[in-house]
Amino acid sequence: MPFYKDRVFQGIFIALALLKTAAFLLIYFFHPLQEAVLAFPDSLTYVYPAQTLLQYGALWEAVSSNPMLLRTPGYPIFLAGIQLLFGNLTWAVAAVQNLLSLLLLIPVYLTARRLDGQTTARWAAGFCAASVLYFSLSFAVLTETLCAFLLAWFIYAIVCFLQQPKPSRLLGAAVLLGLSVYVRPAAYYFMIAATVMLVCFNAGRKIRFPVRKILLFFLLPLFILVGAWQIRNRVQTGFSGFTTVGAYNLYMWNEDYLAKKFSIPVSQAHTALEQALPPGFPALEPKEQLRIYKAMARPLIQESFLYKLSRAPLWAAKTLFGANFVHLSRLLYGGRYAAETIDDEMLNHTSAVHNRWLKTLPEKLLFLSSAGQVLLTVILGIIGFCWLWKKRQTEIFFLLVYCLYFWGIGSTFFGAYARFRAPFEFVLCIAAGTAAAHITSFLKKQFPRRNKTSRAYAREL
């Protein structure tokens, strides 16, 4: 049965569509911060290149005329396309991203159905629809919603391939993964991990698909697609890499350690690191900028290594269990914080809970409900992975590596944001749907009389 004919899926989809429409209208017409509620500290670094692309036909670095290297072109092109179509770069972005997060239910449903049947697919779609992370990120000018949407279709394509290997499915997976790398470079090294896994599956006879075809239909398209941007960088700037964000993070992500060392806010430490760069730094050649970033980062990393190692478990926990509460609270209670900046909260890696946002009863209830939703999804997701492992080892191994990769890249030594869970939360929803489906099936078998009585009573009514 096609997914769109499933009445349960239709109900979940329509309910989420109505909720998103109501939320969008309330925020658009009544939110005291207006469109500022959609902006994050990183938003300008995507918006500015989008504007230069429309005005000058080239992607420039934020507030400069240098070719863009820190960010990758996927999201700026996405923003430019929206502005070109709708003449708006804020509310139109929120509207389109809400639509994408709604359509995210489709690949989640389809993947779950392939792994464990229709009942699991319905539950998985329900968990994804209930995600407070995807709801809040839909109202942010950030890359996560678009990237998660592309990666969800990539996962569906790769699961289809692992079950029935066909060149077209593998090629589709390669294109989707390549596009997600353009949106969020955190996916860059997963290209290698995915290729290695596919080759190992062939060697272990888990799939019957020649290695040469894996290289031809997966690795080569990725190499061509991603390599095109690296050629552009080489031609325009002399920098051969995909993005300079790695060197930038190597230096700037020491801000949490400096904040701890000097007992200052994280945003102040961030500013201090920027001011410590040599005069005229933005005008230097990219190679020289990278050299300076690495040279200045090295002593800081050596000094802060033990501190970062001690904080890694907390960061990993915050990435996995965080509810994106600061953004969610600001989205719903923005008036009380209209005169305050969220920079400290968005950059804060030093505390487990932002108590400043938990002063009123509604805020505490919102925190408990959102944190509870995340906790339930993660716990049931772990149970679901264990259940699926019994019959889908190849697919589940791939999904586990996928989740661990993005969890690790988003938390270890790089601070902790709940939004870094976005690339793999939909996989947790699929696994949680599996657990929920089997738990409810078990309970029905344990209490058959009650079920029969309930059905008989329903027929009488």
Side-chain angles (χ1 to χ4, degrees), residues 130-141:
S131 170
V132 293
L133 181 65
Y134 289 143
F135 172 82
S136 57
L137 288 177
S138 299
F139 292 95
V141 184

Side-chain angles (χ1 to χ4, degrees), residues 47-363:
V47 171
Y48 186 84
Q51 293 174 337
T52 63
L53 179 62
L54 291 173
Q55 294 177 11
Y56 306 103
L59 294 161
W60 293 353
E61 207 67 81
V63 197
S64 77
S65 58
N66 296 325
M68 186 181 71
L69 290 175
L70 182 66
R71 299 303 182 188
T72 46
Y75 196 63
I77 292 174
F78 172 76
L79 296 179
I82 290 176
Q83 182 165 353
L84 195 62
L85 288 173
F86 301 102
N88 184 280
L89 200 59
T90 51
W91 293 111
V93 172
V96 173
Q97 289 185 168
N98 271 277
L99 178 61
L100 290 181
S101 68
L102 177 63
L103 296 177
L104 180 65
L105 299 185
I106 297 174
V108 168
Y109 177 95
L110 294 174
T111 305
R113 189 171 66 178
R114 274 193 164 267
L115 291 173
D116 199 48
Q118 187 177 60
T119 302
T120 291
R122 291 168 171 174
W123 276 103
F127 276 104
C128 190
S131 170
V132 293
L133 181 65
Y134 289 143
F135 172 82
S136 57
L137 288 177
S138 299
F139 292 95
V141 184
L142 293 172
T143 61
E144 276 74 17
T145 298
L146 178 60
C147 186
F149 179 77
L150 292 170
L151 286 172
W153 282 109
F154 159 72
I155 288 296
Y156 173 64
I158 208 72
V159 167
C160 290
F161 170 77
L162 292 175
Q163 293 181 350
Q164 295 177 315
K166 294 181 180 179
S168 59
R169 291 174 174 174
L170 190 59
L171 179 60
V175 172
L176 288 163
L177 180 57
L179 291 176
S180 69
V181 172
Y182 269 83
V183 174
R184 190 158 184 79
Y188 185 85
Y189 293 105
F190 188 74
M191 297 187 299
I192 300 173
T195 303
V196 170
M197 281 191 286
L198 292 173
V199 171
C200 289
F201 290 156
N202 170 270
R205 298 183 180 180
K206 299 296 183 181
I207 56 172
R208 294 183 177 180
F209 199 78
V211 172
R212 67 178 184 277
K213 288 190 177 181
I214 293 175
L215 300 178
L216 178 62
F217 291 102
F218 189 74
L219 185 60
L220 182 60
L222 283 171
F223 181 80
I224 294 173
L225 186 61
V226 175
W229 182 249
Q230 297 186 213
I231 292 173
R232 173 266 188 189
N233 292 343
R234 176 70 176 178
V235 170
Q236 292 192 9
T237 69
F239 170 67
S240 302
F242 189 69
T243 172
T244 60
V245 72
Y248 174 83
N249 285 341
L250 198 66
Y251 174 65
M252 295 304 299
W253 283 106
N254 291 289
E255 59 201 9
D256 59 300
Y257 171 70
L258 295 180
K260 176 72 174 179
K261 180 179 179 179
F262 297 108
S263 300
I264 58 176
V266 177
S267 59
Q268 187 175 336
H270 183 90
T271 302
L273 284 170
E274 289 181 331
Q275 293 175 345
L277 294 170
F281 180 82
L284 297 176
E285 292 292 326
K287 285 185 177 180
E288 183 62 15
Q289 290 183 355
L290 293 178
R291 187 193 66 78
I292 292 173
Y293 274 140
K294 293 177 181 179
M296 297 183 69
R298 190 175 298 109
L300 288 173
I301 292 174
Q302 292 173 347
E303 182 181 343
S304 65
F305 180 78
L306 292 179
Y307 166 79
K308 289 182 178 291
L309 191 62
S310 69
R311 303 297 287 179
L314 172 62
W315 296 344
K318 286 181 67 177
T319 301
L320 185 61
F321 295 104
N324 203 36
F325 181 72
V326 172
H327 180 214
L328 183 64
S329 179
R330 186 171 182 258
L331 201 60
L332 299 180
Y333 304 110
R336 193 157 70 84
Y337 302 101
E340 300 181 20
T341 177
I342 61 169
D343 285 10
D344 278 356
E345 307 296 340
M346 293 297 104
L347 294 170
N348 188 1
H349 319 304
T350 58
S351 62
V353 179
H354 302 287
N355 294 319
R356 182 164 71 93
W357 299 78
L358 293 171
K359 294 181 179 179
T360 66
L361 180 60
E363 289 170 347

Side-chain angles (χ1 to χ4, degrees), residues 366-436:
L366 178 65
F367 175 77
L368 289 175
S369 60
S370 57
Q373 178 269 318
V374 175
L375 182 63
L376 180 64
T377 301
V378 173
I379 291 175
L380 288 179
I382 294 171
I383 297 172
F385 272 127
C386 295
W387 195 287
L388 285 168
W389 181 260
K390 298 176 183 178
K391 64 175 184 177
R392 298 286 187 187
Q393 290 187 8
T394 303
E395 298 96 311
I396 297 309
F397 181 84
F398 190 96
L399 294 182
L400 280 171
V401 172
Y402 171 89
C403 290
L404 291 172
Y405 170 85
F406 280 103
W407 183 23
I409 211 81
S411 56
T412 306
F413 300 112
F414 290 91
Y417 300 121
R419 65 186 180 97
F420 288 166
R421 190 178 64 252
F424 67 94
E425 178 162 313
F426 66 86
V427 179
L428 294 177
C429 291
I430 294 170
T434 303

